[in-house]
Amino acid sequence: QKEVEQDPGPLSVPEGAIVSLNCTYSNSAFQYFMWYRQYSRKGPELLMYTYSSGNKEDGRFTAQVDKSSKYISLFIRDSQPSDSATYLCAMGVSTSGSRLTFGEGTQLTVNP
Amino acid sequence: DSGVTQTPKHLITATGQRVTLRCSPRSGDLSVYWYQQSLDQGLQFLIHYYNGEERAKGNILERFSAQQFPDLHSELNLSSLELGDSALYFCASSGGPGSYTQYFGPGTRLTVL
């Protein structure tokens, strides 16, 4: 079983829709959580990061973490065609080393 | 632009050969991480260096090695290359062992023929 599970999609939505991307994890040692956006296998771009359970908002993006359920989400409001990319969740433990364990990524297409 | 640079962008080589990938972290960052992304595997952690010292190893083959130099740039050496080593290789940097936000470079696309 993978430590981090993420539905690979593909996910296709119309412009303006609210997008929900999700990951589940099995390792309770994970302490911090990130979302990256990757365009056409370019370098992953850090979108959001959080250390605690709850919600964190940044513009059109909201990251949600539920440590009790081992479940994290990224919501994109008012989605735009430029949001079309692969979204990767990533997690790490709070010790030296700080390697990230990634989900497979969800491929998102926002149609104009 | 994350501030992390990687060279070369593309590398095409033959089986059995050796290549070196280079990474320069963001200014002030002490940690460098290497990841491999293949089509069927997703992003896999290879190795982490902090201020010149190896801190953690992941699924890194014995044919692969890395180092971080006094100026903090890092090199990933891949030897006895096999077809299955074809992948994207990314480095990421962060401020230190307690700093968990990692910023990725543009990657090196390695093709082994």
Side-chain angles (χ1 to χ4, degrees):
Chain A
Q1 184 189 1
K2 293 181 182 178
E3 283 188 290
V4 179
E5 298 278 358
Q6 183 176 9
D7 186 341
L11 183 61
S12 182
V13 301
E15 184 175 352
I18 296 175
V19 176
S20 172
L21 304 165
N22 310 296
C23 289
T24 60
Y25 62 96
S26 57
N27 187 352
S28 58
F30 287 135
Q31 295 290 324
Y32 56 92
F33 308 88
M34 300 181 193
W35 286 95
Y36 286 86
R37 178 172 63 193
Q38 187 177 28
Y39 291 111
S40 300
R41 297 177 73 76
K42 306 289 187 192
E45 172 194 358
L46 181 62
L47 282 177
M48 301 281 289
Y49 62 92
T50 182
Y51 193 82
S52 57
S53 284
N55 292 354
K56 182 177 181 180
E57 189 173 318
D58 184 2
R60 296 186 296 113
F61 298 93
T62 299
Q64 191 173 80
V65 173
D66 182 347
K67 287 187 179 181
S68 62
S69 301
K70 298 190 180 67
Y71 188 88
I72 71 170
S73 299
L74 178 71
F75 298 96
I76 306 174
R77 289 182 298 282
D78 188 24
S79 56
Q80 302 295 309
S82 58
D83 294 328
S84 299
T86 296
Y87 289 80
L88 300 154
C89 63
M91 314 182 181
V93 299
S94 187
T95 60
S96 63
S98 303
R99 70 175 69 185
L100 292 178
T101 302
F102 282 84
E104 281 188 50
T106 300
Q107 186 179 341
L108 171 67
T109 300
V110 180
N111 301 299
Chain B
D1 184 356
S2 68
V4 179
T5 61
Q6 289 187 249
T7 57
K9 287 184 180 178
H10 303 280
L11 205 46
I12 301 175
T13 188
T15 54
Q17 295 299 303
R18 173 189 168 93
V19 297
T20 297
L21 313 183
R22 182 188 169 105
C23 168
S24 292
R26 296 187 316 160
S27 177
D29 282 357
L30 300 178
S31 276
V32 170
Y33 307 80
W34 287 97
Y35 293 86
Q36 180 191 55
Q37 187 177 39
S38 53
L39 278 173
D40 60 346
Q41 283 259 327
L43 271 161
Q44 300 289 320
F45 168 73
L46 294 178
I47 197 163
H48 168 215
Y49 276 84
Y50 172 73
N51 202 21
E53 293 186 4
E54 181 186 303
R55 282 299 178 98
K57 267 187 175 179
N59 300 319
I60 188 166
L61 300 170
E62 286 191 11
R63 300 183 284 109
F64 296 2
S65 64
Q67 53 184 328
Q68 187 180 27
F69 295 86
D71 67 353
L72 300 177
H73 91 270
S74 178
E75 293 181 356
L76 179 67
N77 300 295
L78 315 176
S79 61
S80 303
L81 285 167
E82 301 175 359
L83 295 177
D85 298 327
S86 296
L88 283 163
Y89 291 85
F90 291 105
C91 81
S93 75
S94 72
S99 172
Y100 58 86
T101 49
Q102 296 184 22
Y103 297 87
F104 281 75
T108 293
R109 185 180 298 272
L110 173 66
T111 302
V112 182
L113 301 175

